[in-house]
Amino acid sequence: MPAVVVVGSQWGDEGKGKATDQLGERVDYVVKFNGGNNAGHTVVIDGETYALHLLPSGILTPGVTPVIGNGVVVDLEVLFQELDALSERGVDVSKLRVSASAHVIPSYNRTLDRVSERFLGSRQIGTTGRGIGPTYADKMSRVGIRIQDLFDASILRQKVEGALENKNSLLVKVYNRRAVDVDAVTEELLSYAERVRPMVVDCSLELNRALDEGKTVLFEAGQATMLDVDHGTYPFVTSSSATAAGACTGSGVGPTRIDRVIGVIKAYTTRVGEGPFPTELDNEDGERLRQAGGEFGVTTGRPRRTGWYDAVIARYAARVNGLTDFVMTKLDVLSGYEEIPVCVAYEVDGERVDEMPDSQTAFHHAKPIYEMRPGWSEDISEARTFEELPARAREYVEYLEDISNCRISAIGVGPGRHATIVRHDLLD
C-alpha cells in the first residue's frame, strides 16, 4: 500500500496525530501537506506526551522521513523552536525535509491576522492569530515569500518590499498601527536561511521517486474536512485544502498514486472557533465530554465546543474525501452514559434533511434529529480486540458504521500509542 492519505472527518482535533503515528511505524515517509502551526497534534508515546504544531507526526518515529510539503505555510521561528524542543527530549530530527516551494509566514502577517480579527468584532472567524490566513492570501495574490526565496537576498528584499507596499497602507491608515520596516523583515528571514538550507528539497521529486521505489508514503492533513476552504462551513474555515484532494496539490504527487484514504473521526463531535455546530451541547453533558475527553486545543489551549456524533457530517466526509476507512477515536470517553444520542439527520425549515445542506443558511438553522443508543458502564481502555468490548459498545460502533457509509477499521480506546483496536488492516 504505497500511498495513504489521513484526513480529519469533522472540525479537527479528531486524533489524526495518533492515527498517523501508529501508521508511521510501518511507512517510510510522513508528509504534512496543508496548514501551518495552527493545526496541533498530541501524541502519547510510553507515557510521554508530545504536542506538535507545525511538524509532521512522523518526526517521532525512528526510520521515518518527515516532510513539510509545498501546501504548508511555515513559521520559521516556530519550526526551529519545535525542532529544538524535540531534540532536547532525545528525538532525532535530522531527517526532516522541507519543500522549497512552501510559503513562509512573515512577521507582518501575524500582525495583520491579529488586528484584522479584532477589527471584525462580532463577525470574528476565530482564527489562531498566527498569520496563516494572510499568508495563504499572499500566496493566491502572488505576493508570497517561499522557502527558496531565503537563498537570494536581493530577490527576498524585493518580495518583502512588494508585499509591504499595500500592507503598510492598511496597517497605518485602517488599523492605526506602525508601518513595518522592509529591511528588518528581510534580515529576520535571512537569519534562518543557513539553518533551513540542508532540509530543503524538491518535495514532488523526492516523494514520487520514493513511490517509484515501492516505499510507503503517508500524507497527513492538518485541520479537517469541515474546515476545508472549499468544502467546509465557509467562512468559518481554515485557509487551506484540508480534504484528501489537498494531499496532491500540497505535495506534488498525482491523484492516481493515492491508494487509500483514511478519515479520522471521534465517537462524538467537537469544534474550535466560531461557526454553526448542529449537535453542540451547551450544558452539563457538553462539559462532561470536554473534561473526560481533554477537549482543549493543543496549539491555543482554548476549550473545544462539544456535541454528540453527527452522522450527516460523517457521510459528507466519506463522500468528499472518497474515504476507504474510518479510524474512530475516543470511544472510551463515552463509557458511563446510560443512553447516547446520535444525530442521524437534520430538520431544516420543518423538513427532514439526510445529507449536508447545500447552503450556509440552511446549515446554520439545522436542528439535529437524534436516535438514542444504549450506553455502557464498563471501562474499555484495556480492550485490544473488538470482541473484548462490551456488547453495547460494539453495537454502537456497528451502528455508526452502518449510518456513516464507511467501514470503521480502527477504534481508539485511550490516549496511548497502542490503545487501539484494529478491525481491518489500514495498510493491507
Side-chain angles (χ1 to χ4, degrees), residues 202-236:
D202 181 330
C203 180
S204 174
L205 181 62
E206 178 153 346
L207 294 177
N208 277 280
R209 281 179 173 171
L211 291 170
D212 290 342
E213 294 168 3
K215 294 180 179 178
T216 302
V217 179
L218 191 152
F219 299 87
E220 172 190 43
Q223 305 292 347
T225 300
M226 301 305 293
L227 293 172
D228 182 272
V229 70
D230 288 295
H231 302 291
T233 47
Y234 190 91
F236 302 101

Side-chain angles (χ1 to χ4, degrees), residues 242-318:
T243 44
C248 299
T249 55
S251 69
V253 172
T256 57
R257 309 212 71 167
I258 305 299
D259 298 280
R260 181 161 286 179
V261 182
I262 299 167
V264 185
I265 197 163
K266 278 179 183 166
Y268 50 99
T269 311
T270 64
R271 82 169 293 176
V272 170
E274 306 300 321
F277 181 2
T279 68
E280 182 171 15
L281 296 169
D282 189 17
N283 56 22
E284 290 182 4
D285 281 332
E287 185 60 29
R288 178 176 171 181
L289 285 174
R290 184 177 299 112
Q291 295 300 328
E295 298 299 350
F296 300 89
V298 177
T299 297
T300 64
R302 290 186 292 183
R304 297 173 186 144
R305 299 158 65 188
T306 57
W308 300 119
Y309 186 88
D310 190 329
V312 180
I313 286 173
R315 291 193 292 269
Y316 178 72

